[in-house]
Amino acid sequence: MPSKPGAQPARRSAAEPASTGLRERILSATRELLRERRFDALSVADILTAAEVSRASFYFYFPSKQAVLGELVRDAVAQGQQAADPWIGGSQDPVAALRAGVRDGARLWRDNAGILMAIVESQGSDEGLRALWLEQMNLFTDAATARIESDPQVRRRLGDMDVRAVAASLTWMGERLYYLAAAGVPPFDDEKVLVDVLTNAWASILYGRPVTPPSRIPGAEQRKDAAD
């Protein structure tokens, strides 16, 4: 069965209307609507009303509401890749970099909850959105695989395990826990719990040691208060 148009990037054309702000209005309006509504309950007409654009203008830029969601998802994923850069780059202490990336990832999901929950909830019934989400998640898996391959100590620790399978498992575990946090499901709605659990999972598997959360390190709170 062919993929639905939702997987396709937004169209570009040299003959765009004079008001190029229309496209951003459509994206912004959809983002705001998704803060309050499920994607499957959202219609193109709802977007037109919220963005104050004509149907012709909408379809000039996007073939469907799925294409609008796809654009918003790609933007959020690009921000997620930036959050992972400290660990992916390998220039910092790996566990500290993991914790920072997990924390920033949690906040990214919180700030983009409507968008990211929409793609997770819709991809099971929409082939185009499923292909898009798999593609975006593979970006994280690819980067994690390359990072693991570049660390001789981690490679020795993993032994004969399939590195990509390990990277994919950790990546998809993060996706699931971030989703539960964004949906307000305890205990992962507590950012500290979420960050501690995910950081420890990654660090234990890759580096063979559990991580003591900063708040449990003697003197950490006093140092934090002094820094504030």
Side-chain angles (χ1 to χ4, degrees):
M1 183 182 297
S3 295
K4 296 182 181 180
Q8 301 299 317
R11 290 178 290 182
R12 301 289 190 271
S13 171
E16 291 185 356
S19 179
T20 55
L22 291 177
R23 181 175 177 280
E24 290 306 315
R25 279 163 54 185
I26 293 167
L27 292 168
S28 179
T30 305
R31 182 184 294 108
E32 292 304 312
L33 287 168
L34 287 172
R35 295 183 189 276
E36 305 294 335
R37 304 190 201 178
R38 288 176 55 94
F39 183 70
D40 58 7
L42 192 63
S43 68
V44 170
D46 294 327
I47 298 172
L48 300 182
T49 299
E52 299 182 335
V53 301
S54 69
R55 186 169 294 271
S57 294
F58 177 92
Y59 284 110
F60 183 91
Y61 290 106
F62 300 99
S64 64
K65 70 172 188 176
Q66 286 84 359
V68 182
L69 177 60
E71 195 80 1
L72 293 170
V73 167
R74 291 184 186 92
D75 180 66
V77 167
Q79 295 176 55
Q81 290 176 295
Q82 292 179 0
D85 275 348
W87 179 71
I88 296 298
S91 59
Q92 301 181 18
D93 172 75
V95 175
L98 277 173
R99 179 175 289 280
V102 169
R103 181 200 62 222
D104 291 347
R107 293 173 183 176
L108 172 69
W109 267 78
R110 180 193 63 200
D111 295 343
N112 294 273
I115 295 164
L116 295 172
M117 290 177 67
I119 187 70
V120 171
E121 293 167 357
S122 301
Q123 55 96 18
S125 58
D126 186 301
E127 290 187 14
L129 291 177
R130 183 173 187 273
L132 169 66
W133 192 229
L134 290 175
E135 174 188 75
Q136 298 302 301
M137 290 299 293
N138 277 337
L139 295 175
F140 291 105
T141 297
D142 291 344
T145 300
R147 176 67 177 86
I148 294 169
E149 292 280 14
S150 72
D151 190 322
Q153 291 185 343
V154 176
R155 287 294 293 114
R156 284 195 295 272
R157 172 171 173 74
L158 295 179
D160 294 334
M161 279 194 282
D162 184 318
V163 170
R164 184 170 179 80
V166 172
S169 297
L170 291 169
T171 297
W172 282 102
M173 176 178 62
E175 186 256 20
R176 185 51 23 183
L177 296 190
Y178 284 142
Y179 170 81
L180 292 174
V185 177
F188 304 111
D189 56 339
D190 183 325
E191 182 182 294
K192 180 181 178 301
V193 171
L194 175 64
V195 172
D196 286 350
V197 168
L198 272 178
T199 303
N200 272 284
W202 280 73
S204 297
I205 290 172
L206 298 181
Y207 304 109
R209 61 184 189 272
V211 181
T212 303
S215 60
R216 297 179 190 171
I217 299 173
E221 288 299 322
Q222 291 86 339
R223 289 196 296 273
K224 180 178 182 298
D225 292 340
D228 292 342

